[in-house]
Amino acid sequence: MKKLFLLVFAFAVVLTACDKDDDDNGKKPGPNGDPGSTLNPEQKQWGLVINYTAKWCGPCGSWGSPLLKQLAELNGGRVLAIAPHASNDPMHVASIYNGFRADRITGGGIPSFWVGDNKVTSQNASSTMNTLTGRTPIAAIDMEVKKDTEHFDVNARVKFFENATGDFYLSFYILEDGIPGGPGSGDYTQSGVSDPNYTHDYVPRKSYTQEVYGQSLASNPSADDVFDTEFEFTFDASWTNTVYVGAAIWRYNPNGNPNNEEPHYEFINGFVVK
């Protein structure tokens, strides 16, 4: 009888310990959520700036690049900045440049800027970014990235903070900073600048999917739903400067009209890990 009591007591202790571990974890994963993940998206709004540019474009170097850097440093640097390069440029990636331009038009010339879902000028770009980053997001991203000599291991979590309607997409990009572009930089020399230390930054080298606006994430998600994504993102060893990963959440708007500067893919939030 005494042995039976001890067995029952030991079993109860095990159950209590398991319950305590669950309580300590405290995570409430939604679809595809990993209860053991340490990622914890915060309800903070990131900015987005897309600058269409090219190394042969004088205005892109003289005022476009400084404006891009200024916008990227707003909101405490919590801005996903992307500078797709046009053709006849060694940094041109057709699928990325054309993919963004199809939904966020250039208007016929470069440099051309978008902040979030708004095409902007040099006069209203900063105020538009401040408006964007001042809103309360319905969803956010947290991300861990480990890098070796040829690929990133990416672990990302998206969390929705309220019920949302529509179809949501998630995209990832490899970006590069610090590409020498001052006078004497050969094929990478930027027109319109005289600074020998000039660098090309925020250069999109690769999108995780062929479609720059990513792959399907969720339809009509509920508050507290979380979605985890883990994958390997390879990069070219010739990208020897600072390479890193950016991510964005989009909501598809079937009524969008790019010709009227109304994109189909509405920016929800972003994240960058350098």
Side-chain angles (χ1 to χ4, degrees):
M1 184 69 182
K2 182 177 181 181
K3 290 182 179 180
L4 179 60
F5 172 79
L6 290 175
L7 286 173
V8 171
F9 176 78
F11 183 62
V13 169
V14 171
L15 288 181
T16 302
C18 290
D19 287 344
K20 186 176 187 301
D21 285 346
D22 288 344
D23 289 342
D24 286 347
N25 190 3
K27 298 190 182 300
K28 304 290 186 180
N32 301 323
D34 174 10
S37 175
T38 60
L39 297 176
N40 184 30
E42 297 182 87
Q43 196 173 13
K44 295 181 178 180
Q45 181 65 55
W46 280 63
L48 168 71
V49 54
I50 298 174
N51 168 214
Y52 301 105
T53 187
K55 61 105 178 183
W56 43 258
C57 165
C60 293
S62 63
W63 67 264
S65 181
L67 177 59
L68 175 60
K69 184 176 181 179
Q70 174 189 336
L71 294 171
E73 292 177 348
L74 294 177
N75 194 36
R78 291 195 307 273
V79 174
L80 172 61
I82 305 174
H85 283 243
S87 57
N88 299 317
D89 183 306
M91 294 163 283
H92 173 66
V93 181
S95 61
I96 294 178
Y97 186 88
N98 295 332
F100 277 122
R101 188 181 61 171
D103 202 43
R104 285 169 164 76
I105 61 175
T106 63
I110 57 174
S112 180
F113 284 82
W114 281 77
V115 171
D117 302 327
N118 296 283
K119 193 172 186 302
V120 296
T121 66
S122 58
Q123 287 73 37
N124 69 353
S126 294
S127 61
T128 304
M129 180 67 79
N130 290 332
T131 298
L132 168 60
T133 57
R135 71 188 187 184
T136 300
I138 62 172
I141 308 169
D142 192 12
M143 184 164 59
E144 294 176 338
V145 178
K146 297 180 181 179
K147 176 178 175 287
D148 65 18
T149 56
E150 60 184 19
H151 71 272
F152 296 101
D153 288 325
V154 180
N155 184 13
R157 166 169 281 192
V158 172
K159 179 178 180 178
F160 285 83
F161 300 100
E162 59 185 66
N163 297 337
T165 58
D167 296 320
F168 292 81
Y169 290 76
L170 180 62
S171 58
F172 298 91
Y173 314 99
I174 293 177
L175 303 159
E176 185 174 7
D177 287 353
I179 304 170
S185 298
D187 291 341
Y188 290 82
T189 300
Q190 177 64 51
S191 178
V193 301
S194 58
D195 181 3
N197 298 315
Y198 176 88
T199 58
H200 301 285
D201 299 319
Y202 319 111
V203 178
R205 289 299 200 174
K206 187 176 183 179
S207 173
Y208 182 62
T209 58
Q210 185 67 18
E211 167 55 62
V212 295
Y213 291 103
Q215 58 191 8
S216 178
L217 173 68
S219 293
N220 302 321
S222 300
D224 295 326
D225 275 356
V226 296
F227 301 87
D228 290 342
T229 303
E230 188 172 358
F231 64 96
E232 185 177 284
F233 207 172
T234 59
F235 59 86
D236 193 321
S238 68
W239 304 337
T240 57
N241 300 286
T242 301
V243 288
Y244 54 98
V245 178
I249 309 168
W250 315 89
R251 174 163 47 192
Y252 183 72
N253 175 12
N255 299 316
N257 186 344
N259 290 329
N260 287 339
E261 300 181 4
E262 299 170 356
H264 285 106
Y265 290 90
E266 300 172 347
F267 177 68
I268 300 300
N269 217 337
F271 202 82
V272 174
V273 174
K274 289 193 177 182

